[in-house]
Amino acid sequence: QVSGTKLVDAAIQLQKNQVPVRWMILDDGWQHTTNDHANNGKQWTQRLESLRESPTKFHQLSLKDTVSTLHNMGIDHVWVWHTLAGYWMGLNPTSPFLPTSQLQYTHFPTGIMDND
């Protein structure tokens, strides 16, 4: 599982081995979801709980502090992966951490549905 300390440790090891790293991409797993411990395919049923990093994975070193540390190590860019829907199953509608919103259902034109 990803964490701030693991990311910094990985960057340190790459530098020790003289691997020039100028950017990093944090793939799936950094977000605060309805089950922050889900991985290995179990994350597909999860919803986004907040717009912050996972409190269970970034409890020692926040995402902001992680990125600052990586920048100080010479890594110019740190990007994060995010689905357009918030997370695989969207947003958690009962989350106290997200703005109040209403579910919006997508209506696909017939041509798109026929081609799927």
Side-chain angles (χ1 to χ4, degrees):
Q1 288 188 350
V2 69
S3 73
T5 53
K6 286 181 181 180
L7 291 168
V8 171
D9 289 346
I12 290 169
Q13 289 302 314
L14 290 168
Q15 285 185 342
K16 282 183 181 178
N17 289 301
Q18 298 180 340
V19 177
V21 177
R22 296 288 174 242
W23 53 269
M24 287 181 130
I25 298 175
L26 301 183
D27 199 1
D28 186 20
W30 65 269
Q31 303 97 321
H32 182 195
T33 64
T34 50
N35 182 355
D36 281 344
H37 299 290
N39 59 12
N40 298 325
K42 295 177 184 168
Q43 74 272 24
W44 307 122
T45 61
Q46 304 310 308
R47 292 177 182 248
L48 192 68
E49 185 69 22
S50 78
L51 300 175
R52 307 238 355 147
E53 71 269 25
S54 165
T56 58
K57 297 175 184 175
F58 287 87
H59 65 278
Q60 292 178 322
L61 190 62
S62 71
L63 183 59
K64 179 180 179 179
D65 291 340
T66 299
V67 171
S68 292
T69 301
L70 295 172
H71 282 165
N72 291 336
M73 295 174 66
I75 297 173
D76 299 324
H77 304 283
V78 180
W79 295 300
V80 295
W81 172 93
H82 217 297
T83 69
L84 295 175
Y87 204 64
W88 293 110
M89 292 302 290
L91 306 175
N92 179 5
T94 62
S95 173
F97 304 108
L98 294 172
T100 303
S101 61
Q102 294 179 354
L103 291 177
Q104 299 292 320
Y105 295 96
T106 304
H107 300 284
F108 294 104
T110 305
I112 291 175
M113 297 303 289
D114 290 342
N115 289 323
D116 280 346

